[in-house]
Amino acid sequence: MLRNARCAALLFLGVLFPVLAADLTVSPQGDDGNPGTPDRPLRTLAAARNRLRPQLAAMDQDLVVDVLPGQYLLAEPLAFGPEDSARNGHRVVYRGPLGATAELLGGVPVTDWRLGDDGNWHAHSPVPRFQQLFLGGVRQTKARQPNQGYYEVETYGKPNTTTEFGYAAGDLPPGPYGPEAQVYIWAGYDWFTDTCPIRDIILAQRAIVLDRPTLVPIDRKRPHRRYFFQGFRSALDTEGEFFLDEATGEILLRTTRDPNREGVLVPVLPSVIELRGTDEAHPVQGLTFENLTVGVTAFPAWFDEIRGENGNSTWNEPFHTAGAIHFANTTGCAVRFCRIQNTGLSGVSLLGTCVGNELYGNEIRDAGYHAILVKGIPPRLDPRPEQLSQGNRIANNHLFRCGRLVGHGAGVFLHSAASNQVVHNLIHQMPRYGICAKGGTPNVPKGTPYEATIAVNPLRDNVFSDNDIHHVNLDSEDSGFISFHTTGTGNVVDHNLLHDGERELGGLAMGIYLDDGAGYFRVTRNWIWNIGGGSPGRCMPIYTKGIYNLIDSNVLVGEERTGAACTVAYMFGRRADHHTWTHNIVYLRGADSVVWRNQNWIEDRYVECDRNLFWNTTGPVRFGVERETLDLAGWQAFKGLGLDRHSVVADPGFADPATGDFRLREGSPAREIGFEPMDATTCGLLPDYPFPLTDEVP
């Protein structure tokens, strides 16, 4: 199988394809009654799938379907089951031309637009309800107020309410109000967003009553909850906004562009390509999708992180799992060199028992939720280790501008997943996480030792390395560029660049966040700088909880508002002890910053904390223990533990720290403490990434 789509190609009907002759050809101008030859192609990929089925049992080489350029509007997902699996060690390949100009889309066109006297374009909707609209391949905004940013909740009504809040005078768009009216809200915290239909508006009390509850009480913990209204006809006042009147089926679109010429799609399918194995014993195997553009998928009218119309999950476990490309119980399948864009939920989802799959060299942008979601069967449903999504490789992908409809979207999100590789990705422009991984709580008897609980947690032995992550965590808090919660053993965070995360929102902001129950990590050779954002003192390169975490040979750069280079604490009865912090370079730029902060001290906090290098460009080097601040001598003498007794205070001699170049100059004292340098030039995308490197796309 060709592994580098750029190294060789053939010219076929004026279109460049990777080498390997095709067994079938599909074209938007084809006919499913044709034989599927280059001069008489099929029209649909479903017909090609069906034509291949009789050939699968006797496969003695790869089977290839060439997908010619153009738009393929699917009336239903392109579905593959175990009966479509490749056999005898070979693969079935569905490939588009180089440049991914064959588009598989889950939307229906809206036609016959007319320009009204009100300055809006008008058309009749082909479907009764939708939540998104794309003009010329660009997502338009559901009519909202305010047009940018948020309002703040004025009053909170009953304590712990999840369905009511009060708005300030002048914030509510004028009526009439229909069933399409919604609220997008950060309820309780800046952790998760809800999209909720409005049940009632009580004008006399300036009160909003939601049709569905928010994930947490609206007034919980944080005051001044942020929200905006959407789906109001009177809010249609800005270029690029649309409104659907669900009662009449009329669509209004405010734009200076011509929708009849550029084309309009509204999404109707949750997924475009679906691979659904029956279970771990009967997976879909050996399918590859290359050089395709996939997108335009639906988003629900009500979004809650753990609840939906057909059930619920549990805390921190995503319920909405659809992806434009959707794998469930698959083995050895791949998505390579594809463009995945304009999705309602995630770009690609791997669910259930997904083993040994590969997502490589893809551009995934403008997803409503996560770019990539990997979710095994959580232990609350099935504790068997073979139920996990494991051994998958997510590499060399450009993931950006996701979380467009869900404020806690991530570049890569893992849940109940083991032995996966998330490597050499470029991730940016995310409202919350760059990468996030959570394990769920194992079903263990009450009183089980903490170490034993972690040992059976399903999120284990994953590797997160060589990624370049920047400008994430832009619209949320209490999160990191790379975040973990309730994990198992053996996870590695190595050789990543985490940088540049300025934002206006306060709260906690971290480079690497080992949150509650995140233990047995190896955090090594990462460069973390200019995390920015966060409230003063509440942003930091690393915040760690958990047990037996190793933090070694990292470059931890603190800015003016950084509280500490590394903070450690335990909460909710979960321990934070037996840590090893060695061979790190801490470079601070804030006069009030400390090197380490122990928020709550315990005697067995460290196995070892030594042979580190510290420097502060604007003040003394200090350490925080609960409410006490110590100099280096005081820290070394603290409780007679010999902490950092071989560590040094010295300028590390970086090449150019002002521009993020933390290579060591000749003679750097960091070499004397055993610091292991890394080659930052190898982080991020690999040379065979096929698309232009820009976020300046429509």
Side-chain angles (χ1 to χ4, degrees), residues 138-196:
V138 179
R139 187 193 308 271
Q140 305 298 284
T141 300
K142 181 180 285 190
R144 55 165 286 178
Q145 189 171 309
N147 288 322
Q148 300 289 332
Y150 298 93
Y151 291 135
E152 292 182 353
V153 170
E154 177 81 357
T155 57
Y156 293 91
K158 297 177 291 186
N160 296 317
T161 180
T162 58
T163 57
E164 298 180 24
F165 68 89
Y167 58 89
D171 287 354
L172 180 70
Y177 310 115
E180 55 281 326
Q182 299 169 326
V183 164
Y184 177 101
I185 186 169
W186 294 89
Y189 307 85
D190 290 303
W191 296 354
F192 303 101
T193 59
D194 294 87
T195 298
C196 295

Side-chain angles (χ1 to χ4, degrees), residues 72-144:
Y72 299 80
L73 302 181
L74 277 67
E76 59 184 17
L78 177 63
F80 299 86
E83 67 276 15
D84 299 304
S85 294
R87 309 287 205 277
N88 307 325
H90 298 288
R91 308 189 67 80
V92 177
V93 181
Y94 293 81
R95 68 179 187 190
L98 298 181
T101 54
E103 300 180 78
L104 281 62
L105 307 177
V108 296
V110 181
T111 58
D112 298 325
W113 290 90
R114 62 192 184 283
L115 185 60
D117 294 338
D118 57 1
N120 299 313
W121 290 89
H122 297 244
H124 186 76
S125 175
V127 295
R129 197 177 204 192
F130 59 85
Q131 306 301 318
Q132 305 167 86
L133 181 146
F134 296 92
L135 169 63
V138 179
R139 187 193 308 271
Q140 305 298 284
T141 300
K142 181 180 285 190
R144 55 165 286 178

Side-chain angles (χ1 to χ4, degrees), residues 489-510:
T489 62
N491 296 295
V492 174
V493 183
D494 177 61
H495 206 273
N496 299 284
L497 302 178
L498 312 176
H499 58 103
D500 297 316
E502 299 91 344
R503 65 177 191 193
E504 295 182 4
L505 184 69
L508 281 168
M510 284 73 69

Side-chain angles (χ1 to χ4, degrees), residues 118-121 135 139-148 232-243 252-257:
D118 57 1
N120 299 313
W121 290 89
L135 169 63
R139 187 193 308 271
Q140 305 298 284
T141 300
K142 181 180 285 190
R144 55 165 286 178
Q145 189 171 309
N147 288 322
Q148 300 289 332
F232 287 72
R233 183 170 187 152
S234 59
L236 185 69
D237 58 5
T238 300
E239 172 75 20
E241 287 190 330
F242 75 92
F243 171 77
L252 283 73
L253 175 61
R254 177 158 292 225
T255 182
T256 55
R257 299 156 64 184

Side-chain angles (χ1 to χ4, degrees), residues 10 13 28 37 83 87 101 136 146 151 215 269 285 382 411 419 486 539 542 638 673 696:
L10 59 84
L13 297 180
T37 56
E83 67 276 15
R87 309 287 205 277
T101 54
Y151 291 135
L215 176 64
L269 299 182
Q285 301 185 70
D382 194 326
S419 302
T486 315
C539 59
I542 297 179
F638 181 71
I673 64 168
E696 297 302 322

Side-chain angles (χ1 to χ4, degrees), residues 359-629:
L359 308 178
Y360 185 88
N362 303 291
E363 178 189 273
I364 306 180
R365 66 170 175 87
D366 292 298
Y369 193 18
H370 305 308
I372 297 171
L373 170 64
V374 181
K375 179 185 171 185
I377 299 175
R380 67 184 180 86
L381 298 178
D382 194 326
R384 294 177 296 161
E386 62 267 26
Q387 296 298 304
L388 303 178
S389 283
Q390 52 192 313
N392 303 292
R393 186 167 184 254
I394 300 170
N396 196 27
N397 302 289
H398 186 191
L399 315 175
F400 64 106
R401 266 190 7 200
C402 298
R404 297 293 300 274
L405 304 176
V406 178
H408 48 278
V412 180
F413 192 102
L414 272 63
H415 192 284
S416 300
S419 302
N420 300 285
Q421 295 183 20
V422 182
V423 299
H424 285 290
N425 300 288
L426 173 60
I427 304 173
H428 57 103
Q429 311 308 130
M430 302 289 173
R432 196 167 190 199
Y433 315 105
I435 297 171
C436 183
K438 303 183 180 184
T441 303
N443 295 320
V444 296
K446 187 176 182 180
T448 299
Y450 188 37
E451 287 87 346
T453 300
I454 291 179
V456 297
N457 190 290
L459 192 92
R460 58 179 181 269
D461 300 321
N462 298 289
V463 174
F464 307 87
S465 73
D466 296 279
N467 300 289
D468 184 353
I469 304 176
H470 64 88
H471 291 95
V472 300
N473 201 17
L474 297 177
D475 197 27
S476 63
E477 67 106 7
D478 195 16
S479 62
F481 284 45
I482 303 180
S483 287
F484 302 93
H485 193 287
T486 315
T487 68
T489 62
N491 296 295
V492 174
V493 183
D494 177 61
H495 206 273
N496 299 284
L497 302 178
L498 312 176
H499 58 103
D500 297 316
E502 299 91 344
R503 65 177 191 193
E504 295 182 4
L505 184 69
L508 281 168
M510 284 73 69
I512 296 173
Y513 191 14
L514 308 182
D515 201 353
D516 300 313
Y520 293 91
F521 273 82
R522 293 181 59 87
V523 178
T524 55
R525 302 188 305 163
N526 301 284
W527 288 6
I528 309 175
W529 77 98
N530 197 24
I531 296 306
S535 301
R538 303 196 75 199
C539 59
M540 60 208 78
I542 297 179
Y543 188 175
T544 176
K545 304 174 185 178
I547 62 175
Y548 293 96
N549 288 323
L550 169 70
I551 299 173
D552 186 272
S553 291
N554 301 282
V555 172
L556 309 178
V557 179
E559 312 305 328
E560 183 178 354
R561 64 172 56 200
T562 298
C566 186
T567 295
V568 59
Y570 63 85
M571 299 177 66
F572 309 116
R574 297 184 175 186
R575 292 161 38 197
D577 53 66
H578 291 90
H579 287 199
T580 298
W581 299 1
T582 48
H583 312 119
N584 300 287
I585 299 176
V586 174
Y587 187 87
L588 301 175
R589 294 165 168 151
D592 297 326
S593 303
V594 298
V595 173
W596 316 135
R597 181 176 299 283
N598 282 264
Q599 284 188 274
N600 34 31
W601 177 258
I602 52 176
E603 295 302 318
D604 56 358
R605 171 61 44 80
Y606 298 105
V607 173
E608 183 180 8
C609 182
D610 203 3
R611 295 178 176 82
N612 300 290
L613 184 147
F614 312 124
W615 189 244
N616 192 325
T617 63
T618 60
V621 169
R622 300 180 302 170
F623 302 79
V625 182
E626 297 182 340
R627 297 182 181 276
E628 188 176 3
T629 301

